[in-house]
Amino acid sequence: MAKTVLKQIVDEAGGVYRSIMNRRKPKMKLPVRALNNVRYTPKVGYFQLTGKQKERTLTVNTVKTFAQTLKMMSLSKDLIEQDDIASKREAYYISKNWGDAMFTEQPESDTVMDDVEAMFAVNREQLGFIPEEKGGEVAGRLVVVDRDEKGKPLRIDCTRFGSGAYSIPISVEHLKFESKARFILAIETAGMFQRLVKHNYWKLANCVLVSMGGVPTRACRRFVRRLADSLKIPVYAFVDGDPYGITNIYRTLKVGSGNAAHVNKFFCVPQAHFLGVTPQDVVDYKLPTHPLKDVDVKRARDALKNDPFIRHHKEWVAALKQMIEMGVRVEQQAFAMYGLNYVIEKYLPEKLRRPKRFLP
């Protein structure tokens, strides 16, 4: 794969060079990374690009961004050839040696890196760039087979971390898995994850627990995807009952995002289903709630109008409309009203008896 990516970089740079030598304005074509440039079909299971492209042409106004794009491609080429890596933060600081092409702030660097990734339709790790954040945490009935420094298999038992958990590494492609778990429970908040770990919920339910820590990182999503594919078991998402939890955290886990549609096939988990917390749970369990904020209502209405995944599933349309009508949002921790372990003793067992009722 490295040779293929390297050839793509060289070919693209060569095209720019030839245009300049022939006194033509050089251009680079990139896919439009936005929700209005994706489609969703259940058979595929994730957001796909529809084909809209934008051109980056060398002009007086675009010379800096054009140069930064080429320099980022050059940095990637060096990393691949040297079998090395650079974090997103390191890439930003490397640009300080690029003279007038250097980045002022890291968001500029991240955007150009994403553009290069989209241009070649690969993930940034294949370009030699790695994220700063860790991938999430795992506990339960799972053995992860990693490699030691000599390349020998290293078996990591996720039931033997005591009150802690196994940390998902940045790169998960080489990992193998051994497990007889029934399902994977992906959890939004670290607090709820820790409660389930503390009381060995994974033993009671025979499952694998994964802490997403908010919007799951790429490494976390890729880990869950590979784990689910390998074990051929379902993935259930347990997040807050609010528009952000539904349209940002869960939707990103299941079908990806418009901004990263060019790599969604690697990082989404189409087999995921939404366990809760649902608007109907608020009614059924008489949960304490918080009023929806203006930003919550806007996010929900935007999803109903523009999100291909939400619009496709009438169950999600109904759920978001119910949430807007109720005017409330609910947190995972709301079940503590009935006791700290109510979620373990009552809520999860009741929901898991009826997985066919889970939202898509």
Side-chain angles (χ1 to χ4, degrees):
M1 186 63 193
K3 289 182 179 179
T4 301
V5 177
L6 197 60
K7 184 178 185 302
Q8 287 179 282
I9 294 173
V10 172
D11 288 348
E12 186 68 30
V16 171
Y17 175 79
R18 286 188 294 274
S19 293
I20 293 173
M21 296 306 293
N22 290 324
R23 298 182 179 278
R24 297 195 307 266
K25 289 183 180 179
K27 300 178 181 179
M28 289 183 281
K29 290 186 177 181
L30 304 88
V32 174
R33 296 185 290 110
L35 203 59
N36 62 11
N37 189 34
V38 300
R39 63 175 177 269
Y40 170 73
T41 53
K43 186 175 181 180
V44 174
Y46 53 83
F47 284 166
Q48 292 176 295
L49 289 168
T50 60
K52 295 179 184 176
Q53 289 190 318
K54 61 181 178 181
E55 283 190 347
R56 184 161 292 167
T57 305
L58 179 58
T59 65
V60 172
N61 294 328
T62 64
V63 62
K64 183 175 181 179
T65 305
F66 201 94
Q68 289 172 332
T69 306
L70 289 172
K71 292 293 288 184
M72 190 68 76
M73 290 164 52
S74 176
L75 174 56
S76 174
K77 177 176 177 292
D78 290 342
L79 292 171
I80 295 171
E81 290 177 334
Q82 297 165 17
D83 190 23
D84 205 348
I85 57 174
S87 70
K88 295 172 71 176
R89 190 64 174 168
E90 287 172 332
Y92 161 69
Y93 279 114
I94 287 171
S95 82
K96 298 304 181 182
N97 296 311
W98 295 353
D100 291 339
M102 72 176 182
F103 296 106
T104 305
E105 301 290 344
Q106 188 176 339
E108 299 175 56
S109 173
D110 291 349
T111 298
V112 171
M113 187 182 294
D114 289 344
D115 283 343
V116 173
E117 177 188 61
M119 185 190 307
F120 299 122
V122 298
N123 62 61
R124 69 170 70 103
E125 290 79 4
Q126 292 171 307
L127 294 168
F129 301 119
I130 60 172
E132 299 286 346
E133 68 274 11
K134 66 178 183 178
E137 295 183 311
V138 182
R141 296 201 183 279
L142 173 68
V143 172
V144 178
V145 184
D146 203 336
R147 296 191 298 252
D148 64 16
E149 65 277 4
K150 295 182 180 179
K152 294 182 179 179
L154 180 65
R155 299 177 80 256
I156 303 167
D157 189 341
C158 294
T159 67
R160 297 183 177 276
F161 280 81
S163 58
Y166 167 71
S167 292
I168 298 173
I170 291 171
S171 177
V172 303
E173 294 303 319
H174 63 289
L175 301 179
K176 295 181 180 179
F177 309 104
E178 299 172 5
S179 177
K180 293 184 179 179
R182 293 172 47 239
F183 62 91
I184 301 162
L185 186 63
I187 304 154
E188 174 183 348
T189 65
M192 181 58 71
F193 174 78
Q194 289 298 330
R195 171 156 299 281
L196 299 183
V197 171
K198 169 74 174 177
H199 294 276
N200 291 330
Y201 177 74
W202 53 266
K203 185 182 295 185
L204 177 69
N206 186 21
C207 67
V208 177
L209 304 174
V210 178
S211 173
M212 295 187 288
V215 178
T217 63
R218 287 187 177 194
C220 181
R221 284 180 280 150
R222 184 60 177 157
F223 181 92
V224 174
R225 170 67 179 277
R226 292 202 62 242
L227 182 59
D229 285 350
S230 175
L231 302 181
K232 294 179 171 54
I233 58 177
V235 178
Y236 301 140
F238 183 24
V239 308
D240 288 343
D242 59 22
Y244 188 81
I246 292 168
T247 65
N248 287 63
I249 296 174
Y250 174 67
R251 200 281 312 277
T252 299
L253 173 72
K254 183 175 176 72
V255 299
S257 68
N259 189 51
H262 55 289
V263 290
N264 280 338
K265 64 181 178 181
F266 302 112
F267 296 105
C268 67
V269 186
Q271 55 267 70
H273 291 276
F274 191 90
L275 179 152
V277 183
T278 68
Q280 190 58 39
D281 285 338
V282 174
V283 177
D284 294 342
Y285 290 90
K286 298 179 174 59
L287 296 173
T289 60
H290 300 278
L292 284 179
K293 299 177 182 178
D294 289 344
V295 67
D296 295 320
V297 176
K298 181 180 184 305
R299 182 175 280 117
R301 293 193 186 283
D302 284 348
L304 288 169
K305 182 179 179 181
N306 301 311
D307 191 305
F309 169 71
I310 298 295
R311 288 169 58 85
H312 179 86
H313 293 287
K314 64 181 185 299
E315 300 95 333
W316 273 119
V317 172
L320 283 179
K321 285 183 177 179
Q322 181 183 11
M323 183 179 291
I324 293 171
E325 289 171 3
M326 293 168 65
V328 298
R329 55 191 170 86
V330 62
E331 299 177 357
Q332 290 180 304
Q333 287 76 13
F335 294 99
M337 171 186 179
Y338 300 111
L340 289 173
N341 290 322
Y342 182 88
V343 71
I344 295 173
E345 297 166 356
K346 186 81 171 175
Y347 177 71
L348 288 175
E350 287 184 350
K351 292 296 287 269
L352 288 166
R353 280 197 290 270
R354 302 185 294 271
K356 290 184 178 180
R357 296 187 185 181
F358 291 175
L359 287 166

